Amino acid sequence: MMMKKINIALILAALWLSSCSDLLNTEPEQNISDEAVIVHEKSANTALVGVYDALQGYATSNIIGVDLASDNVINYNNQNNLVPDLTPNNAGGGFSAIYKMINQANFIIHLVPGVQDGFFTQEERNQVLGEAYFLRALGYLDLVKTYGGVQLVLTPATGPDTHKGTKRSTAQETYAQIGADLDQAEQLLKETINRTRANRFSVYALKARYFTYIQNWEQAENYASKVIATAGFKLVKPYSAFFTGKTTDESIFELVYSTSDRNSFYTNWLSPADGGRHDYIPAREFVSLLLDPAKGGARKSLLKQTAEGSWDLIQYGKPDGSSSVFVLRIAEQYLIRAEARANKATPDLAGALADLNTIRTRSDVPASALTPASGKETVNLAILEERRLELPFEGHRFVDVVRTGRSATIFGAVNANRKSPNFNILPIPLSAIQTDADLVQNPGY
């Protein structure tokens, strides 16, 4: 899906203030740009494209923000600073850009129900609304995993800082809103496979992740199983096929780019010889794991050795800018289900290991030697390690270590300052704090 570069939030602000019906009554439709207001089916879909465009705008910033806070990725020019200190001055994660997407989704959620267009069927209206609810839930899930409880803005706002004037909610309250939005999306969307647009399968997969984050293991298993049981989703071989190809069976929800709508993320990862800037590289210790046949296996295909001997990430390395960003893929669902099975009220360690070994087999790694007798804690550690190897540069590692309660042990072993639970979330960027009196910084920063 090609994303059109538009600023829907600013364009729609006047409409929100004056109301859709007033505008329709005062200006002939033929004088209204399709990109200007939500007045019919076409402009509703144009607005929705804008929300996807805003998601493209923040996705890579969030990935690199949380990956640099983990032990998988380092700055090329500061390679000894693994698991660095986190400060408001170097905070990443795409805070303001995520709110931009949420605000654009808010316009759709609030305006589409009132659109008067006889050709805009209820089914089409439900699809647009369902996608907007899904995307708003995704935005808030990315915010809460990165910064903790945030400002819940559920109505359209004007200006560059759309969260201004709202106090921060708790993480629990933020998760509750995410759950409510996902419930709405599940009701509105259909079970139609579309790997570049939200649908009910996308909701199932995001719900599985959501329930994992809040440790509702029965529901995490339930929703992951819904996706795994669908014939249209499967692990592809070789491992590299999911990122060298496009919209493969591996993909549940994928941000697709093209030569005319380019993803510049490759410039951050590749050396100048390959057209990049070499901002980031995989950490040396982690490279060793990926190159180990008994651990990384075929996942070494994520890497390319440069002439000077370092290793670059090529997952996003297509120099024409057409590399996809994978928001949801089936491999994560197997690992979610493995973790859920290991941790639910009546653990199913045999089932957890079966899912774990499904992932290992696809990547040409020997099956785990663990058995149910190995115990829940040992199986959980194996799943955490497998998530690190299977999903290494997709924004999961930092969150996984934190949510499993192992940040002091894993990150603190590298940087003693990171033993503090304050650093289990990133700081709000200083620029956002300075422009919003209602925004309180996270403790410890």
Side-chain angles (χ1 to χ4, degrees):
M1 173 183 175
M2 188 178 299
M3 300 298 174
K4 200 170 183 179
K5 303 295 181 185
I6 51 182
N7 192 335
I8 293 296
L10 292 178
I11 293 171
L12 293 178
L15 174 61
W16 173 247
L17 294 172
S18 62
S19 90
C20 178
S21 59
D22 288 346
L23 182 57
L24 284 170
N25 290 334
T26 59
E27 187 173 3
E29 183 180 348
Q30 62 265 27
N31 292 333
I32 302 172
S33 166
D34 289 334
E35 297 181 357
V37 291
I38 300 177
V39 294
H40 43 41
E41 180 271 339
K42 185 176 181 180
S43 52
N45 277 294
T46 298
L48 184 60
V49 170
V51 189
Y52 282 97
D53 185 66
L55 173 57
Q56 282 188 328
Y58 88 72
T60 54
S61 296
N62 189 255
I63 287 171
I64 197 58
V66 291
D67 276 356
L68 279 171
S70 80
D71 49 0
N72 282 1
V73 175
I74 53 175
N75 281 293
Y76 179 80
N77 292 321
N78 197 0
Q79 297 184 28
N80 293 320
N81 192 20
L82 182 65
V83 188
D85 288 334
L86 305 172
T87 73
N89 289 319
N90 68 5
F95 181 84
S96 295
I98 298 175
Y99 271 109
K100 176 184 176 182
M101 186 201 76
I102 288 170
N103 193 49
Q104 292 177 199
N106 283 340
F107 275 108
I108 293 172
I109 290 168
H110 281 265
L111 293 175
V112 164
V115 169
Q116 302 298 312
D117 178 359
F119 295 100
F120 196 8
T121 69
Q122 191 60 51
E123 182 177 340
E124 292 168 335
R125 200 179 300 251
N126 288 348
Q127 180 68 31
V128 171
L129 283 168
E131 291 185 59
Y133 275 112
F134 171 87
L135 292 166
R136 188 169 76 175
L138 176 63
Y140 275 118
L141 192 60
D142 285 338
L143 281 170
V144 73
K145 78 177 187 185
T146 308
Y147 306 105
V150 292
Q151 296 155 297
L152 292 174
V153 183
L154 306 178
T155 56
T158 60
D161 299 309
T162 59
H163 45 78
K164 290 181 72 171
T166 305
K167 301 295 184 183
R168 289 186 71 172
S169 295
T170 65
Q172 184 178 10
E173 290 166 339
T174 306
Y175 277 118
Q177 182 60 50
I178 295 163
D181 280 353
L182 287 174
D183 286 343
Q184 286 284 348
E186 184 176 356
Q187 293 172 23
L188 292 164
L189 296 173
K190 298 186 297 183
E191 284 191 346
T192 302
I193 294 177
N194 184 335
R195 303 180 202 279
T196 64
R197 295 280 293 267
N199 54 76
R200 194 176 292 179
F201 291 118
S202 314
V203 177
Y204 293 160
L206 193 60
K207 273 195 164 185
R209 181 187 294 173
Y210 161 76
F211 284 121
T212 299
Y213 284 6
I214 64 172
Q215 298 186 359
N216 185 331
W217 302 117
E218 285 74 16
Q219 288 287 57
E221 179 184 23
N222 174 38
Y223 278 98
S225 294
K226 287 177 182 287
V227 184
I228 293 169
T230 303
F233 303 112
K234 64 181 180 181
L235 298 168
V236 296
K237 289 197 74 171
Y239 175 85
S240 60
F242 86 85
F243 67 86
T244 55
K246 198 177 290 290
T247 62
T248 69
D249 287 350
E250 175 100 7
S251 182
I252 301 169
F253 181 48
E254 176 177 341
L255 301 184
V256 171
Y257 300 78
S258 68
T259 55
S260 59
D261 182 28
R262 302 172 77 231
N263 177 8
S264 63
F265 207 26
Y266 74 94
T267 62
N268 301 115
W269 294 98
L270 298 184
S271 69
D274 288 326
R277 298 197 310 260
H278 239 178
D279 297 318
Y280 320 119
I281 58 173
R284 287 187 292 264
E285 297 83 352
F286 184 54
V287 166
S288 297
L289 295 177
L290 288 175
L291 297 179
D292 185 340
K295 295 180 179 178
R299 293 173 289 213
K300 68 181 181 181
S301 61
L302 290 163
L303 307 175
K304 173 186 176 181
Q305 192 166 29
T306 64
E308 67 268 21
S310 66
W311 292 86
D312 285 0
L313 173 67
I314 61 169
Q315 179 174 349
Y316 308 107
K318 295 176 183 176
D320 63 357
S322 65
S323 295
S324 292
V325 170
F326 301 92
V327 180
L328 297 161
R329 60 185 178 95
I330 194 67
E332 183 198 5
Q333 298 299 303
Y334 277 103
L335 291 168
I336 284 174
R337 191 169 71 174
E339 189 175 352
R341 285 174 165 176
N343 289 284
K344 62 184 182 178
T346 304
D348 174 11
L349 297 183
L353 290 168
D355 283 336
L356 178 70
N357 284 325
T358 296
I359 295 298
R360 292 173 66 90
T361 298
R362 188 276 289 271
S363 294
D364 302 324
V365 174
S368 173
L370 298 179
T371 69
S374 302
K376 174 179 168 179
E377 178 64 15
T378 302
V379 171
N380 272 321
L381 285 170
I383 294 168
L384 179 63
E385 182 69 1
E386 203 63 36
R387 287 184 63 92
R388 184 185 188 189
L389 294 161
E390 177 64 29
L391 312 164
F393 306 107
E394 298 170 44
H396 294 285
R397 174 62 175 173
F398 172 79
V399 184
D400 288 344
V401 171
V402 167
R403 66 179 178 76
T404 56
R406 295 183 172 89
S407 57
T409 301
I410 294 175
F411 297 151
V414 181
N415 178 351
N417 292 334
R418 295 284 294 274
K419 291 182 179 180
S420 169
N422 286 335
F423 304 127
N424 288 347
I425 48 178
L426 271 59
I428 305 293
L430 184 60
S431 58
I433 293 288
Q434 291 173 334
T435 59
D436 187 354
D438 296 293
L439 187 53
V440 178
Q441 184 59 275
N442 287 325
Y445 296 109

